[in-house]
Amino acid sequence: MKGLKNHAIEVLNGNWKDKIGFSVPCANLYPFQWFWDSGLIAIGFAHFDMRKAEQEIRTLLDTQWGNGFIPHIIFHTDSDSYFPGPDFHRSDLHPQSSKKYRSTGMTQPPVTGFVLEKMYNIAKDKDAVLKFIKSLIDKVYFNHKYFYENRDPQNEGLVYIYHNWESGTDNSPIWDDIWDTMNPPEYTFERRDTTHVDASERPSKREYDHYLYIIDIAKEHNYSDEKIAELSPFLVQDPLFNAMLIKSNESLINLYEKLGDSEKVNQLKEWQEKSKQSFNSKLFDEELGAYVHYDMRNERPLRYLSSSSFSPLYAGIPSTERAASMVQIMMEKFGGDHQYLCASFDPTSERFNPKKYWRGPVWVNLNWMLHNGLKRYGYKDIAERVKHDTIQILEKNGFYEYFDSRKEMHQNGKAGYGGNNFSWSAALLIDLLE
Ligand code: DGY
């Protein structure tokens, strides 16, 4: 196991850019800083190099806009190995965007709150890390305030995402139902991702047309949240995204209590209560026995099981009864002896594709959340199984971006897909081994 951990450390150090102070998720394929990658990467660094962990978060939060928004990609350097770059995204159209950094005009799951608490828990020198946290925690709070004030038009305590790239689960089959409601133009552009990774493991050209079209609509309105809420064909309350926000609220409450800021604690508790309540009343699907996405534009739940359906365990959202039903359904559909936990999409669905990005493969970040969520609810054995499966697939294949969920595929040949030497696969392995 020591060899695997050392390899993980090598991967993280290899993807670290010291001059600016951040990590790329993966060379060539993702040559910039990504929001939720950065947060999860900092957890790995915290175990062996707290300076880098702190710098990773410092750089990320420095990119915050005047309204509290934090972008999903920050284009620190020029690179022709990625499309669409800063010239397509044009974040400068937003009146409050950062003057210092070029970025996208969309965000990603808000992991920073719980990352700060993780860093505190990992730290040997608690005072030093608390001092670091104190110096920037208000930025994370401001980011949550942004979400509640600008991404919750019906004042429900649930925030929307307006783009599949905001979900983090980019080409999930869940979005197919939304693509069916749209008919974007055929864009002419040169894909760069498929020069690094086999096209069969990446989204299709037609899917990219949808992705670009939603951005064009947002750009037409200078990335105004209000206009996006009114006009974007993609407007979704995502259980993974909202679970990350709720888990981060919980961590901010714990940290502000340590720092003695009762005003922030009270506001966070207010947000938290409302969020949890709506999450449970709106996103739980009794028949499926787990949480699902809600399509606000077309006013309908998107009734599919995915690894996102189980992520609320990590944030302590379900009751113990609901948790039991979630675990049962997960084991029935995702957890058979021939499968590695946890496929990113329902393996019994005809939309399942175990090789294609978020349409089925196992991802280490979701497994890490699931492991911690199952532990939280007392499912020790299944939590161990998730950890064991994760370690085994990494040992067999290396630190790929995603992995085939079918055990037979790991017998001979490559069953790791997407980018190799992928940062969060390495970072979260280090945390799982502690
Ligand atoms: C990509 O380019 O596939 C990224 O995941 C977008 O965030």
Side-chain angles (χ1 to χ4, degrees), residues 124-304:
K124 294 200 175 62
D125 185 346
K126 305 269 184 224
D127 288 348
V129 167
L130 197 59
K131 212 165 136 203
F132 160 76
I133 290 171
K134 191 169 178 209
S135 73
L136 44 62
I137 187 172
D138 287 352
K139 294 187 181 187
V140 183
Y141 176 88
F142 187 32
N143 185 230
H144 288 209
K145 187 164 185 274
Y146 158 79
F147 281 124
Y148 285 115
E149 290 181 356
N150 299 283
R151 294 286 190 112
D152 182 14
Q154 289 162 23
N155 202 13
E156 296 169 280
L158 294 174
V159 306
Y160 72 70
I161 54 171
Y162 81 87
H163 198 286
N164 54 299
W165 280 337
E166 291 199 316
S167 71
T169 58
D170 298 0
N171 69 337
S172 171
I174 296 162
W175 315 136
D176 294 1
D177 287 9
I178 299 179
W179 309 146
D180 283 346
T181 69
M182 292 168 58
N183 188 21
E186 300 257 358
Y187 283 80
T188 309
F189 60 94
E190 201 187 317
R191 285 281 285 275
R192 302 290 158 85
D193 54 329
T194 45
T195 62
H196 314 297
V197 168
D198 193 306
S200 68
E201 298 165 20
R202 293 286 302 175
S204 68
K205 157 75 172 66
R206 191 61 186 144
E207 280 172 303
Y208 261 75
D209 287 338
H210 290 92
Y211 305 172
L212 301 180
Y213 182 58
I214 307 170
I215 298 171
D216 267 343
I217 295 172
K219 271 165 34 182
E220 228 172 85
H221 301 281
N222 300 329
Y223 289 109
S224 146
D225 292 306
E226 235 169 79
K227 283 286 173 200
I228 286 171
E230 193 186 316
L231 299 167
S232 177
F234 188 112
L235 205 73
V236 171
Q237 288 162 330
D238 178 324
L240 173 61
F241 195 99
N242 279 279
M244 297 297 91
L245 183 62
I246 288 171
K247 176 68 188 170
S248 280
N249 279 338
E250 180 181 88
S251 291
L252 290 185
I253 290 169
N254 294 338
L255 293 170
Y256 274 123
E257 272 170 353
K258 276 190 217 312
L259 294 168
D261 189 335
S262 55
E263 211 176 293
K264 300 251 172 45
V265 169
N266 291 341
Q267 177 60 73
L268 282 156
K269 282 187 174 165
E270 215 176 279
W271 287 333
Q272 188 73 327
E273 203 177 312
K274 190 165 171 178
S275 289
K276 278 191 171 182
Q277 207 170 18
S278 295
F279 199 114
N280 271 310
S281 59
K282 190 165 183 184
L283 303 184
F284 194 77
D285 188 305
E286 294 287 350
E287 216 174 297
L288 292 176
Y291 295 88
V292 298
H293 296 67
Y294 188 83
D295 173 358
M296 294 178 84
R297 177 58 63 234
N298 302 293
E299 298 185 354
R300 56 177 177 174
L302 299 168
R303 306 190 56 240
Y304 300 98

